[in-house]
Amino acid sequence: MFLFCSVRHRGMIDSIQPVYGAQHPPLDPRLTKNFIKERSKVSTVPLKNKKASSFHEFARNTSDAWDIGDDEEEDFSSPAFQTLNSKVALATAAQVLENHSKLRVKPERSQSTTSDVPASYKVIKSSSDAQLSRNSSDSCLRNPLHKQQSLPLRPVIPLVARISDQNASGAPPMTVREKTRLEKFRQLLSSHNTDLDELRKCSWPGVPREVRPVTWRLLSGYLPANTERRKLTLQRKREEYFGFIEQYYDSRNEEHHQDTYRQIHIDIPRTNPLIPLFQQPLVQEIFERILFIWAIRHPASGYVQGINDLVTPFFVVFLSEYVEEDVENFDVTNLSQDMLRSIEADSFWCMSKLLDGIQDNYTFAQPGIQKKVKALEELVSRIDEQVHNHFRRYEVEYLQFAFRWMNNLLMRELPLRCTIRLWDTYQSEPEGFSHFHLYVCAAFLIKWRKEILDEEDFQGLLMLLQNLPTIHWGNEEIGLLLAEAYRLKYMFADAPNHYRR
């Protein structure tokens, strides 16, 4: 509930101040923005356009989660709010106080069973929440496909947290074409020497779930193409990893490693917090070991925030080798110790192979990311000058939003199921995680050009770019994004001067 109460200061006229109830966020900033604009039209005194003058000012007022509703720095003392009728505000406040006093008389009724309590006495956060709940339930009855758009009615596993492959079109899980593709993969993988070029070609449009674990091991360079050598290679590499555990893991308590381990320990619970799988203590212990051992063996960069995200796709894919159902809620304690050790070791080695190609993203000052963001700016300035100039007009720097795109490989922008599909292609492309990722980021940015051009202030642009609405994305959207990225790469990759001014 959100109210305005009149507060009289010494020697001053009445001023309107915000009063917050139990609801969070207290006020949708988009509604606030519209309200201010409407009141400004009525006011005869022109209002100065208020916006964050710099990214540093904006960052101080914005949480790392970039929640739209967390804007607690709205200027409620602006003339738009002061023009509210104080009598109306006082009357509203008095009405609320009266309602609260009435509710205090009701507790003895709660002694009866809940079935005897009328609907009007159900405890709710605010009247606006009740209205949202009613609207949500009505809209769900009318159109079940829009259920996820209703924020108050969150399912047990939100759509953003669903890991299983999903097509927006609602196509059957296994079509005739997909069965044919799966059979071709199995033939390739079972041949004496797997043709890796052909495997990359087949994997570019996506790898079937059933063969994704072994395909990823091959494409990452972890497994040899020769089928006779694979079993021994896996055994040797897994033993080697757990040898590192015995050799190095106890050193996490030593003074010169404490900072590294402490940061890893802090970041692990933040990794995909909406997915129950990653909140299991056993899974978090596995992630801590993987990240600490990698940091110890790569002192040039050590552990950097964001690397923790890069473990999750590998862990999910290799876990799916032992789990037929969706893995979001799977209890890993149901797996044998040997299975868990295999998943952990394979995740470590494949993540290490990935990071070998982009390690300059995580060395001191992160020069790889700086170069990629600059290249993205130059590329966008050529393929969509209107969007580029829009950013310049409102003083939006590419580093302010694209740093995370490069540091986390778009994992914070996309559901995990989409990241897994994206990585099918990245592992099929030469330098997919470094070079091709640039064109994916450019295509991803231009995908939202209409929404970007509709925003006309610095804060609105940053909030949009850090909260892009991809919650409903599935394989089809990623396929279209990759097709556009490939087109951009075809046009510009072999002619770098073409996009330089």
Side-chain angles (χ1 to χ4, degrees):
M1 180 176 290
F2 188 85
L3 305 173
F4 290 97
C5 288
S6 175
V7 180
R8 185 177 298 277
H9 298 279
R10 240 177 348 183
M12 296 179 63
I13 62 172
D14 290 355
S15 63
I16 306 302
Q17 295 186 351
V19 178
Y20 299 94
Q23 182 185 359
H24 180 79
L27 185 64
D28 190 328
R30 293 170 291 188
L31 299 179
T32 304
K33 186 187 296 183
N34 295 336
F35 176 75
I36 292 175
K37 289 179 180 178
E38 292 172 3
R39 297 296 302 177
S40 301
K41 293 178 183 178
V42 179
S43 175
T44 57
V45 181
L47 298 178
K48 183 179 179 181
N49 182 28
K50 180 185 183 298
K51 69 181 182 68
S53 59
S54 70
F55 176 70
H56 297 290
E57 179 182 339
F58 173 74
R60 284 196 301 270
N61 299 332
T62 311
S63 71
D64 183 56
W66 301 94
D67 288 335
I68 281 182
D70 284 348
D71 187 8
E72 297 178 357
E73 301 293 332
E74 287 291 345
D75 187 6
F76 292 107
S77 62
S78 64
F81 283 95
Q82 292 176 0
T83 55
L84 283 173
N85 189 314
S86 60
K87 292 182 180 180
V88 174
L90 284 171
T92 305
Q95 182 64 45
V96 171
L97 291 174
E98 182 182 352
N99 291 342
H100 278 254
S101 64
K102 288 180 179 179
L103 288 175
R104 289 182 179 178
V105 187
K106 306 295 183 183
E108 62 268 26
R109 296 182 60 94
S110 63
Q111 301 298 326
S112 60
T113 60
T114 55
S115 60
D116 297 332
V117 180
S120 59
Y121 291 121
K122 290 184 180 178
V123 179
I124 58 174
K125 290 185 178 179
S126 67
S127 59
S128 59
D129 267 4
Q131 184 62 39
L132 281 171
S133 298
R134 286 196 297 270
N135 292 343
S136 299
S137 58
D138 292 343
S139 62
C140 288
L141 289 173
R142 289 193 301 270
N143 191 352
L145 294 177
H146 292 168
K147 181 177 180 180
Q148 293 296 332
Q149 297 174 358
S150 306
L151 294 180
L153 296 178
R154 171 173 287 183
V156 176
I157 297 296
L159 181 59
V160 70
R162 293 181 190 166
I163 300 173
S164 57
D165 293 342
Q166 169 185 311
N167 288 319
S169 64
M174 184 68 75
T175 63
V176 174
R177 179 177 177 273
E178 288 168 338
K179 288 180 179 178
T180 304
R181 290 190 71 241
L182 177 59
E183 184 58 32
K184 184 168 185 179
F185 268 94
R186 284 176 170 157
Q187 289 177 0
L188 274 171
L189 297 171
S190 62
S191 60
H192 182 68
N193 282 296
T194 300
D195 186 340
L196 294 180
D197 289 335
E198 186 64 24
L199 184 63
R200 291 188 185 97
K201 182 179 177 182
C202 291
S203 300
W204 206 100
V207 181
R209 182 181 187 272
E210 294 83 355
V211 293
R212 185 174 274 140
V214 65
T215 301
W216 276 28
R217 292 188 188 103
L218 284 163
L219 294 179
S220 65
Y222 174 44
L223 269 189
N226 187 287
T227 53
E228 295 178 355
R229 294 173 49 206
R230 290 177 191 170
K231 185 176 181 180
L232 288 176
T233 300
L234 282 177
Q235 182 179 348
R236 176 173 56 83
K237 297 298 284 185
R238 289 167 179 170
E239 290 175 356
E240 185 179 355
Y241 168 72
F242 284 100
F244 294 152
I245 296 292
E246 293 178 6
Q247 184 177 356
Y248 298 118
Y249 194 58
D250 286 341
S251 68
R252 68 190 184 280
N253 298 318
E254 296 176 4
E255 185 176 354
H256 58 291
H257 289 152
Q258 280 183 353
D259 288 342
T260 297
Y261 180 73
R262 185 183 301 112
Q263 189 60 59
I264 292 172
H265 189 72
I266 290 171
D267 288 346
I268 292 301
R270 301 173 180 172
T271 305
N272 291 293
L274 293 177
I275 302 178
L277 172 69
F278 299 113
Q279 302 310 307
Q280 297 177 38
L282 185 55
V283 173
Q284 294 185 357
E285 290 171 12
I286 289 172
F287 277 41
E288 284 183 1
R289 288 194 292 269
I290 290 173
L291 294 170
F292 184 77
I293 296 302
W294 188 89
I296 293 299
R297 298 188 72 247
H298 296 81
S301 62
Y303 173 75
V304 177
Q305 285 180 298
I307 295 179
N308 55 304
D309 288 328
L310 306 184
V311 185
T312 56
F314 292 114
F315 184 83
V316 167
V317 167
F318 297 139
L319 175 62
S320 69
E321 198 166 20
Y322 304 99
V323 180
E324 292 185 359
E325 68 231 48
D326 292 338
V327 300
E328 298 95 336
N329 273 320
F330 182 76
D331 185 355
V332 296
T333 59
N334 292 325
L335 295 179
S336 68
Q337 188 66 22
D338 287 342
M339 291 176 180
L340 288 172
R341 287 169 63 90
S342 298
I343 294 168
E344 179 176 348
D346 293 355
S347 298
F348 170 81
W349 286 116
C350 288
M351 185 198 74
S352 298
K353 293 285 187 179
L354 184 162
L355 289 171
D356 285 347
I358 57 172
Q359 192 170 352
D360 62 342
N361 285 6
Y362 306 105
T363 53
F364 178 73
Q366 300 183 267
I369 291 179
Q370 304 278 350
K371 291 176 184 177
K372 290 182 179 71
V373 171
K374 184 63 179 175
L376 176 65
E377 181 177 357
E378 293 174 347
L379 182 58
V380 173
S381 71
R382 298 305 295 166
I383 63 179
D384 199 324
E385 190 172 7
Q386 188 177 4
V387 167
H388 178 72
N389 290 336
H390 192 71
F391 287 151
R392 295 183 63 183
R393 178 182 178 185
Y394 294 106
E395 302 176 358
V396 174
E397 300 291 338
Y398 283 75
L399 199 62
Q400 293 163 356
F401 63 89
F403 180 90
R404 191 170 78 178
W405 295 10
M406 303 299 177
N407 189 61
N408 301 84
L409 298 177
L410 288 176
M411 288 195 64
R412 299 286 179 90
E413 293 19 89
L414 298 170
L416 183 53
R417 62 180 178 273
C418 294
T419 297
I420 291 172
R421 167 62 191 91
L422 189 67
W423 285 20
D424 287 342
T425 300
Y426 278 6
Q427 295 190 90
S428 307
E429 276 280 329
E431 299 181 323
F433 291 97
S434 55
H435 187 61
F436 187 63
H437 180 67
L438 167 66
Y439 298 97
V440 171
C441 288
F444 186 66
L445 180 63
I446 302 306
K447 167 75 173 66
W448 310 103
R449 73 181 312 274
K450 181 183 181 301
E451 291 82 356
I452 289 170
L453 296 176
D454 285 344
E455 293 290 342
E456 296 183 348
D457 62 76
F458 174 86
Q459 182 167 328
L461 281 166
L462 261 293
M463 295 299 289
L464 169 68
L465 292 166
Q466 296 289 354
N467 291 278
L468 292 167
T470 61
I471 185 174
H472 292 283
W473 277 31
N475 290 344
E476 289 186 1
E477 288 79 6
I478 294 299
L480 292 172
L481 179 69
L482 289 167
E484 177 62 15
Y486 185 81
R487 185 185 72 85
L488 294 175
K489 179 191 173 187
Y490 183 80
M491 291 175 63
F492 295 104
D494 296 328
N497 291 327
H498 188 50
Y499 64 77
R500 289 179 183 164
R501 293 186 177 277

